[in-house]
Amino acid sequence: MLSKKLLLLLSPLVAVSALAQKQPNVLLIVTDDLGFGDLAAYGNTKVRTPNIDRLGEQGTRCTNAYASSPISGPSRAGIYTGRYQNRFGCEFMPYDHYQGGFMRSMATHYIPFKKKPDGLKTLKPKLLLNRWRDTDLPSSEITIAELLREAGYKTALIGKWNTVSNLNVIPETRGYDYSYYFSGALTRYVDEPVDTSRYVGVRLPWAFSDLPAWQKRSGPTAIMEGAKVVQDTGYLTFSLANKAADFIRKNKDNPFFVTLTFNAPHDPFQAPKSYYNRINESDAIKRVYYAMIEALDDAMGEVWSALEQSGTLDNTLIVFTSDNGGASYTRATANDPLLGGKCTMFDGGIRVPFYIRFPQHMLNVGQVYGHPISLLDIYSTIAATAGVSLPQDRVYDGVNLLPFINGANMYRPHERLFWKNGYVHACLVDGWKLYMNEKSKEYLLFDLSKDPNEQRNMAKSNPEKLKELQDLFVEWEQTQTCSPLWRSMGNVLIDVNGKGYWFPV
């Protein structure tokens, strides 16, 4: 197999049509645990998100966008490569290298509600103490940043990285010219000492993520600029927006690619008090959560202003989404009207808000697009927009969305989508959704065209359709020839309407 560097050099990187004009810029925004119903345009009446929602007003808002995993690490691996992460072994979360004593104390927090559902065996967390290994995105995978940097783009990763555990594997080694980030799954928004006159925080002792969320910044939670640890003394959402805006202004005369990965609204739940005070909500947890979302929206406003002021807005493809569904176990969001949330294969865990804005290349600005799309499509859409050819030695599972959104193609982007995280599987085939849990031996079949909230299990009443989807999943699974490169770190039990569902992280 040819080396990745040689493949990139041999690929016809720039299409003839792109040579005659300045290549378009690209801004990819990936939020963290932002649920399907968390934005105003998606039905949240408690928040104001005008800066985010105008992406749909001036572009396209998609209502059936699916992440390739209901948890961040695997989902991001799919976004950055345009391929099912199962193809290259990144099926589970990368390990964050915390101290052993902390991981032992975390064991009691792997079940987010006290009563164990009937009929399920208790699964003990695998804490892998003293057996840490690097759990990194394989170097053989070509990230979208590597593809664009070879095509002459100036590239930046700003925010959450979460594709590696080896702290020496910095974004600059995977295609980025500049990075301001943290490497792990989460970090504080405001580090110690917290000025309580300016910031509000709330703990979630029932959530399995609570203990790591509130650790002092170090290791995977430290803020990095390249290979250097830095002290960020601001509110992190605003700091990330500021770094992205600076990069845009500095590179206004070059084609640029910015991957802006806000950690909002992932826990820990910390918000500026000024935002907390303007939210009308009696529940303190939801009030902080909504304040974080409004702060996120204002951060988006700063980035938008930088595009306008630099004269690059009209020549920039903007994609905005979330890595997975909202974390319903935090009790701050429920992904209404969808079922379930993060760490489940129900639509609440994998269906996400999605905007794409590139008006001069869109026939119907302000439209709502309802056919199923995948976050795997982001890679191919960006490459096509930039005039960059995809390497020919591997399969890409995403497609260029623009022709479909423009209606030039009568077919849907995807007739079939698949998900696999260990013993939890799912597939979506022409409107039919199959959920499979091999631990609990539970098989649920839904007709989403008539039952979008996944309330009526039709597995017994329609065994033919059940078998059809099971067979299609097996057929797809056989194409994912790489076994997981590491084991899951543990199992979480997620409450979905009073019933528990296991999921391996």
Side-chain angles (χ1 to χ4, degrees), residues 32-39 42-44 46-47 204 206 264-267 269 281 283-290 292-293 322 324-343 348-349 351 353 494-497:
D32 202 357
D33 291 2
L34 185 70
F36 181 80
D38 279 341
L39 299 174
Y42 284 85
N44 190 345
K46 295 286 188 175
V47 299
L204 313 171
W206 55 84
H266 196 298
D267 59 328
F269 286 174
E281 169 59 53
D283 184 300
I285 296 170
K286 292 181 179 180
R287 189 173 177 184
V288 173
Y289 186 74
Y290 296 153
M292 293 168 67
I293 292 174
S322 177
N324 48 250
S328 55
Y329 59 78
T330 64
R331 303 176 188 170
T333 183
N335 298 295
D336 292 338
L338 306 179
L339 181 67
K342 178 182 177 180
C343 296
R351 202 160 136 201
I494 302 298
D495 181 4
V496 180
N497 291 347

Side-chain angles (χ1 to χ4, degrees), residues 1-46:
M1 182 168 140
L2 294 174
S3 71
K4 177 170 62 177
K5 181 73 171 178
L6 184 58
L7 280 168
L8 291 173
L9 291 175
L10 292 178
S11 297
L13 294 176
V14 182
V16 174
S17 61
L19 289 173
Q21 58 185 355
K22 184 178 182 295
Q23 287 172 282
N25 309 300
V26 180
L27 172 60
L28 170 60
I29 303 143
V30 182
T31 57
D32 202 357
D33 291 2
L34 185 70
F36 181 80
D38 279 341
L39 299 174
Y42 284 85
N44 190 345
T45 60
K46 295 286 188 175

Side-chain angles (χ1 to χ4, degrees), residues 75-94:
S75 175
R76 290 163 190 268
I79 292 171
Y80 296 149
T81 62
R83 288 153 46 83
Y84 280 114
Q85 58 275 8
N86 313 87
R87 289 190 183 278
F88 46 87
C90 292
E91 197 164 307
F92 302 115
M93 285 289 290

Side-chain angles (χ1 to χ4, degrees), residues 188 190-202 214 270-274 276-277:
R188 290 184 177 210
V190 184
D191 205 5
E192 298 287 0
V194 178
D195 182 351
T196 56
S197 69
R198 296 177 59 199
Y199 300 105
V200 177
V202 60
W214 289 93
Q270 291 179 297
K273 185 169 286 188
S274 59
Y276 180 83
N277 289 340

Side-chain angles (χ1 to χ4, degrees), residues 185-262:
L186 41 66
T187 193
R188 290 184 177 210
Y189 294 83
V190 184
D191 205 5
E192 298 287 0
V194 178
D195 182 351
T196 56
S197 69
R198 296 177 59 199
Y199 300 105
V200 177
V202 60
R203 296 293 297 260
L204 313 171
W206 55 84
F208 67 90
S209 55
D210 185 69
L211 282 173
W214 289 93
Q215 293 294 299
K216 291 183 178 180
R217 287 178 180 163
S218 65
T221 65
I223 306 301
M224 309 284 293
E225 192 165 27
K228 180 183 177 182
V229 175
V230 297
Q231 298 299 315
D232 189 301
T233 59
Y235 184 66
L236 188 58
T237 300
F238 297 150
S239 297
L240 300 180
N242 182 260
K243 292 294 181 180
D246 283 348
F247 187 86
I248 289 168
R249 285 188 287 262
K250 289 176 182 177
N251 291 279
K252 63 181 181 179
D253 297 324
N254 306 301
F256 59 76
F257 170 50
V258 177
T259 306
L260 176 54
T261 56
F262 290 107

